Amino acid sequence: MITRTLGGMQKRLPGPWTARLSALGAKAPTSLLVCLYLGLALLSAIPVYLFTSYLSGAAKQSAFAVAADQAAYRLAHEVDLTLAHLRAVKGLFDGSVHVSRDEFSAFVRALRPRGAVQALEWVPYVTLAERDEIEAAAREEGMVDFEIRDYGGDGAIVRAGERAEYFPVYYLESPSSDSMMVGLDIGSNLVSHEALRRARDSRRQTASGRIEIMIEQQVHPAFQVFEPIYEVTSADLDKRTVSLVGFARGVFRIADLVKLAVPEDEFRVAVVDLSAPPEAAQLYPATAIGDDVSFLHEVALPVADRIWSVRMAPAAAGAPDSLPQLATAVWLGLLIVLWILRELVSSRRHAEDLAEVNSRLEALSDQRQQAIQELERSNRELDDFASIVSHDLKEPLRAISNHAKFLVEDYAEQLNEDGEKRLNRLIVLGQRLEQLIADLLHYARLGRGERKIERVDLVQVIADIEGGLAEVLQSRNARLVIKGPLPPVRAHRPHMTALFQNLIVNGIKYNDSERRLIEVGRGPAGADGGHSGFEQFYVKDNGIGIDPAFKDEVFRIFKRLHGPAAYGEGTGAGLSFVKKIVESYGGRIWLTSVPGEGTTFFFTLERSDDATVEETRLRAA
């Protein structure tokens, strides 16, 4: 019998009951702590589950956005490469007096159009008074059934009625060989006519809204792009309208563009024309992407003068995300282990953090490698395009010129004066087109490849240029002046020679003054074009000047503000070379001009380190 005092009273308890109460009192605090800890662990698992779900979804969405941006970049690149074919056709007509049907066909085949190119066409501008003449000319070329046509009321193609102007398909190169399109008046369609009008008024490449083309008895969504071609380019709309010759037209299948750039097994793609009214905005596919997708990424894509919206969603829902459940189980396991061995758990968590960092670094490395591969692929495509221009265009062009020379030399007695004149003109045009191709190749390769960056003495560069142009300067009564000292720059010497020689020759060439004066100098002190370490230079002449409306146009390749015979022969590529050289060194170029009084070209180049040190020493002295 054990006696215990409770509240000043004595009570007798049997022995077994006393042992049970002692054991319960000893175990209750530990059990309570365990239950409390487990309860807190379960409560903490709820935000862990929610947060992990959020992170997992955000990571997937971020990864999808990166992949979608890369696919959109590839699509934009494919669009640029595809539209380059149309610009090439425009260049053919801009650089030629006349292009025959065979010449057009050979030129387009030499371009080797990409898969999305459904047709490349020449569409002349024809008035009602010229209709009979152009139909007769086409029949003489072998198109015996040629006539200007459009769609009748029942959808059949019929002879077009009388109207003020026509835009018939005159030359056509298409993989489907759709001869029914030849002679069809493109302007009779409201969508096409609106794009033609915008191209004519803006002088720029314009695209139409969605059109449908028939290939192998199936309807495919497509779009068309127009390049206006003028006899003389003018800033005045009325003058441009009068000098309009026609349009280079391209028809491109949207599905082919998408398939070339976007993997079908990764993305669902919808293309919407933001420039079109809502009822005609859906370009590809026929229906829009629904609201039942997990992620939707949208990228704006400029196509000629229109803006497309490229909307991408995952191709499939994918496997269920088990990361939140796994993370919750791991979290609970870690909390339980922490109760037992806190240091071990801390070490384990540290290892997991390192693994996550390594995983992210590997992901970033993979993305960088993909970007490098994409850039290498783009460079290879540019080199392939340059190879096509160099080999496939120059070789037949030289053959044409040589045959023309042989005809002049061997059959001169059998040719009349007009025939000999035409053959000589063909030789000149061939040489000019060959020069255009050479300038295009030089422009494409300018700034690429290895270049030796060194300290370049600009005074010596200009002295060498003056020596090389001595006869030209004397014959043109021109004088080259260096205004003040010119600091050295960090650059590739041949680039600096090309830069200043193009600007100096421009000042001599486009100059009607009795005494031509070209001045080279340094800009105002401290002028660096907004870039620290850059120096401003200028080349000034007293020539014919440039209309302010064309201050940006003159830097476009092959852009001439005068006819080929005015102010000497040339391709109009010189200022494009100048701009590309300056910008390849991080500088910028601009001009000021007063028509009839002269032009001043300003540009910025990086100062040489030696020049910076010398300036600091002089200022300190």
Side-chain angles (χ1 to χ4, degrees):
M1 183 72 66
I2 299 175
T3 303
R4 173 173 290 187
T5 302
L6 296 175
M9 298 177 61
Q10 286 188 345
K11 187 170 183 180
R12 295 171 182 252
L13 295 174
W17 280 104
T18 303
R20 291 176 183 175
L21 286 173
S22 298
L24 181 61
K27 294 180 179 179
T30 303
S31 301
L32 183 60
L33 287 176
V34 170
C35 293
L36 180 62
Y37 185 80
L38 289 175
L40 291 175
L42 290 172
L43 288 175
S44 66
I46 297 175
V48 168
Y49 178 84
L50 296 176
F51 184 65
T52 308
S53 299
Y54 168 76
L55 285 182
S56 178
K60 285 186 176 181
Q61 186 168 4
S62 177
F64 174 77
V66 170
D69 280 335
Q70 292 174 349
Y73 169 78
R74 292 193 297 268
L75 180 58
H77 185 65
E78 287 296 337
V79 170
D80 288 342
L81 290 176
T82 300
L83 297 187
H85 295 87
L86 194 60
R87 290 191 289 271
V89 173
K90 174 181 170 61
L92 171 65
F93 280 88
D94 283 340
S96 306
V97 174
H98 172 73
V99 178
S100 69
R101 192 177 303 275
D102 290 339
E103 290 171 340
F104 179 85
S105 178
F107 181 83
V108 173
R109 285 197 300 270
L111 289 178
R112 297 180 181 173
R114 303 178 70 81
V117 180
Q118 185 58 34
L120 291 175
E121 305 167 358
W122 161 238
V123 179
Y125 168 61
V126 180
T127 64
L128 179 59
E130 299 168 335
R131 174 175 177 170
D132 292 340
E133 180 182 349
I134 196 169
E135 288 180 339
R139 295 185 187 115
E140 289 180 2
E141 291 182 1
M143 302 294 291
V144 295
D145 297 327
F146 182 88
E147 61 179 358
I148 299 179
R149 301 171 295 170
D150 58 15
Y151 289 102
D154 58 353
I157 298 179
V158 299
R159 179 174 175 80
E162 292 190 358
R163 45 180 173 266
E165 57 185 16
Y166 305 91
F167 300 91
V169 176
Y170 199 70
Y171 296 162
L172 167 67
E173 281 296 316
S174 169
S176 63
S177 302
D178 189 1
S179 59
M180 292 297 294
M181 290 295 297
V182 177
L184 186 65
D185 182 9
I186 303 300
S188 63
N189 179 271
L190 293 178
V191 174
S192 301
H193 190 272
E194 193 270 339
L196 286 166
R197 180 189 56 78
R198 285 189 287 107
R200 179 202 65 191
D201 295 348
S202 66
R203 297 178 295 170
R204 299 181 183 276
Q205 196 177 75
T206 61
S208 73
R210 173 189 170 113
I211 62 173
E212 293 182 344
I213 58 177
M214 183 72 70
I215 302 176
E216 296 180 355
Q217 305 302 318
Q218 291 185 353
V219 176
H220 297 266
F223 69 101
Q224 54 188 337
V225 179
F226 297 94
E227 279 275 11
I229 300 173
Y230 307 90
E231 287 183 347
V232 179
T233 303
S234 172
D236 183 77
L237 177 60
D238 293 335
K239 292 181 179 179
R240 286 203 309 274
T241 303
V242 171
S243 64
L244 179 67
V245 178
F247 299 87
R249 175 180 182 247
V251 180
F252 311 104
R253 195 160 60 168
I254 302 172
D256 290 337
L257 282 174
V258 173
K259 289 177 181 178
L260 283 170
V262 184
E264 293 181 350
D265 57 344
E266 295 182 21
F267 299 96
R268 293 167 54 194
V269 183
V271 181
V272 178
D273 186 357
L274 300 181
S275 305
E279 64 274 10
Q282 188 70 31
L283 295 178
Y284 173 85
T287 57
I289 296 177
D291 298 330
D292 57 338
V293 295
S294 53
F295 306 123
L296 181 63
H297 191 73
E298 184 172 1
V299 178
L301 175 62
V303 178
D305 63 333
R306 304 177 82 89
I307 300 296
W308 287 2
S309 171
V310 182
R311 299 170 184 175
M312 287 176 278
D321 189 4
S322 60
L323 182 61
Q325 294 87 341
L326 178 61
T328 304
V330 172
W331 171 255
L332 290 174
L334 287 174
L335 289 179
I336 294 172
V337 173
L338 182 61
W339 179 265
I340 302 171
L341 293 172
R342 296 180 183 179
E343 292 299 327
L344 181 60
V345 173
S346 177
S347 176
R348 182 178 176 183
R349 290 180 64 187
H350 181 65
E352 290 178 351
D353 290 340
L354 289 177
E356 184 179 357
V357 171
N358 287 334
S359 176
R360 291 182 179 179
L361 288 175
E362 290 175 0
L364 290 175
S365 177
D366 291 342
Q367 293 176 13
R368 178 176 177 272
Q369 188 63 31
Q370 290 176 2
I372 292 174
Q373 293 174 355
E374 190 66 28
L375 182 59
E376 290 175 348
R377 186 180 72 85
S378 177
N379 286 336
R380 285 196 301 271
E381 290 176 348
L382 288 175
D383 290 338
D384 290 343
F385 182 77
S387 176
I388 291 173
V389 174
S390 176
H391 183 270
D392 293 350
L393 292 185
K394 277 190 173 182
E395 184 176 348
L397 181 62
R398 288 169 181 163
I400 293 173
S401 297
N402 289 335
H403 281 299
K405 290 178 182 178
F406 295 154
L407 289 174
V408 172
E409 295 172 357
D410 298 342
Y411 297 92
E413 298 179 355
Q414 302 177 28
L415 293 171
N416 58 24
E417 182 179 353
D418 183 62
E420 186 174 355
K421 179 179 178 182
R422 289 179 181 273
L423 284 175
N424 286 326
R425 181 58 178 166
L426 179 61
I427 295 171
V428 171
L429 290 175
Q431 294 171 344
R432 183 165 183 267
L433 182 54
E434 186 172 355
Q435 184 60 45
L436 284 170
I437 295 171
D439 287 347
L440 179 62
L441 285 173
H442 180 64
Y443 181 80
R445 292 168 176 168
L446 193 63
R448 298 181 60 194
E450 295 183 0
R451 55 184 181 180
K452 181 181 178 182
I453 302 300
E454 59 184 345
R455 181 182 183 272
V456 179
D457 185 350
L458 295 182
V459 175
Q460 185 59 48
V461 167
I462 295 173
D464 293 343
I465 294 173
E466 185 177 14
L469 297 176
E471 295 183 3
V472 176
L473 291 170
Q474 184 177 2
S475 64
R476 298 292 185 91
N477 194 20
R479 188 161 63 96
L480 177 60
V481 177
I482 300 178
K483 190 75 171 180
L486 299 179
V489 297
R490 289 186 71 253
H492 186 43
R493 183 182 178 90
H495 284 176
M496 295 300 99
T497 301
L499 167 63
F500 281 93
Q501 182 161 332
N502 271 291
L503 292 176
I504 291 169
V505 170
N506 244 38
I508 300 172
K509 184 177 180 180
Y510 297 98
N511 199 321
D512 292 334
S513 302
E514 293 183 2
R515 294 184 177 180
R516 296 170 169 84
L517 178 63
I518 293 85
E519 179 180 308
V520 181
R522 178 184 183 183
D528 58 5
H531 298 78
S532 176
F534 278 67
E535 196 72 51
Q536 179 175 305
F537 301 90
Y538 69 85
V539 177
K540 180 180 180 181
D541 63 67
N542 62 341
I544 62 174
I546 297 173
D547 191 326
F550 298 103
K551 66 179 182 179
D552 295 324
E553 297 285 326
V554 296
F555 292 109
R556 291 174 54 194
I557 190 166
F558 303 144
K559 182 63 180 181
R560 284 179 57 91
L561 303 183
H562 309 279
Y567 299 101
E569 294 291 337
T571 62
L575 291 180
S576 300
F577 296 160
V578 167
K579 185 174 187 291
K580 192 165 185 179
I581 290 172
V582 171
E583 292 181 348
S584 72
Y585 290 97
R588 65 189 186 95
I589 184 169
W590 67 100
L591 66 87
T592 60
S593 180
V594 177
E597 297 183 12
T599 303
T600 303
F601 289 90
F602 297 93
F603 51 94
T604 59
L605 296 170
E606 185 179 0
R607 292 195 298 269
S608 171
D609 293 338
D610 295 343
T612 304
V613 172
E614 180 66 15
E615 285 188 2
T616 303
R617 186 184 67 78
L618 291 175
R619 290 171 184 168

